[in-house]
């Protein structure tokens, strides 16, 4: 099994969950600017959409889209690790709710900050929306829960942690959201997260 990744981008969530699951896998770094993989191939040959993450399974099947990969790892590759509640339960729907929120309301809203041709007005609109949506997470965590779905770490936490770290390079920071800041510190201390960060050269 092989994960195609780029350091610190959304593929970090899949990387973290693979390590949380205790699975054996290879990593292949992708240069997002050139579209080339570490071994000299074209990323579009792996994922026709041209981006990471992409998870190549042992049978040659390739999975794309972070939330789908996260749930596949939890359900099919390491169900005993309880990284997601059972399908069909309200608890699972809550995790899917969190995954959707992170993907649509946070992840994509950061896009203007990472595109060199983004106008300042686009960045300001994105900053305003992020302040509102990060505030939503702040309120959710205000009840003292350790993770998004309660006291147990789930695949949704790997995704939120990854996206929340983007507040650093964008100078948004987390000072305005102390519950979220404490959450990010808490997740960062998990051994699997530390191992993933080190493997990507981020720690």
């Amino acid at each position: 099994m092989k994960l195609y990744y780029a350091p610190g981008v959304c593929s970090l969530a899949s990387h973290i969950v693979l390590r949380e699951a205790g699975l054996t896998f290879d990593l292949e770094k992708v240069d997002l600017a050139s579209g080339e993989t570490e071994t000299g191939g074209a990323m579009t040959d792996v994922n026709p959409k041209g981006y990471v993450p992409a998870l190549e399974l042992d049978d040659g099947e390739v999975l794309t889209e972070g939330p789908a990969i996260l749930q596949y790892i939890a359900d099919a590759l390491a169900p005993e690790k309880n990284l997601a509640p059972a399908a069909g339960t309200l608890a699972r729907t809550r995790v899917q709710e969190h995954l959707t929120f992170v993907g649509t309301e946070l992840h994509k809203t950061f896009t203007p900050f990472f595109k060199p041709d983004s106008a300042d007005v686009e960045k300001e609109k994105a900053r305003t929306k992020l302040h509102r949506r990060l505030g939503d997470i702040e309120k959710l965590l205000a009840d003292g829960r350790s993770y998004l779905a309660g006291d147990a770490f789930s695949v949704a936490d790997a995704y939120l942690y990854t996206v929340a770290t983007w507040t650093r390079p964008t100078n948004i920071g987390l000072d305005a959201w102390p519950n979220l800041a404490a959450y990010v510190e808490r997740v960062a201390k998990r051994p699997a997260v530390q191992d993933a960060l080190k493997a990507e050269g981020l720690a």
Side-chain angles (χ1 to χ4, degrees), residues 3 15 19 22 59 69 71 97 100 106 113 125-126 140 147 164 169 181 186-187 190 195 198:
L3 177 68
H15 188 176
R19 291 185 183 274
D59 63 1
I69 292 171
Q71 292 176 86
E97 181 180 28
T100 302
L106 296 178
F113 294 100
K125 285 175 66 176
L140 179 71
Y147 300 107
R186 186 161 53 250
V187 175
R190 295 180 67 86
D195 289 345
K198 287 173 186 172

Side-chain angles (χ1 to χ4, degrees), residues 1 18 21 23 55 57 69 71-80:
M1 187 161 53
L18 284 167
L23 297 168
L55 183 65
L57 304 178
I69 292 171
Q71 292 176 86
Y72 184 79
I73 295 168
D75 293 339
L77 301 183
E80 74 283 357

Side-chain angles (χ1 to χ4, degrees), residues 1 3 11 22 26-27 38 41 45 66 70 89-90 112 126 136 170 179:
M1 187 161 53
L3 177 68
S11 53
D26 295 321
L27 287 169
E38 202 167 20
D45 289 339
L70 297 176
T89 63
L90 179 59
D136 292 335
T170 56
N179 293 322

Side-chain angles (χ1 to χ4, degrees), residues 27-95:
L27 287 169
E28 181 144 0
K29 191 174 178 179
V30 178
D31 183 328
L32 296 178
S34 68
E36 284 193 5
T37 71
E38 202 167 20
T39 56
M43 187 58 197
T44 50
D45 289 339
V46 179
N47 175 9
K49 291 170 277 192
Y51 53 70
V52 296
L55 183 65
E56 183 178 330
L57 304 178
D58 291 337
D59 63 1
E61 288 280 347
V62 176
L63 298 177
T64 65
E65 304 305 324
I69 292 171
L70 297 176
Q71 292 176 86
Y72 184 79
I73 295 168
D75 293 339
L77 301 183
E80 74 283 357
K81 297 293 185 177
N82 298 314
L83 292 168
T89 63
L90 179 59
R92 176 53 170 269
T93 303
R94 289 297 185 197
V95 167

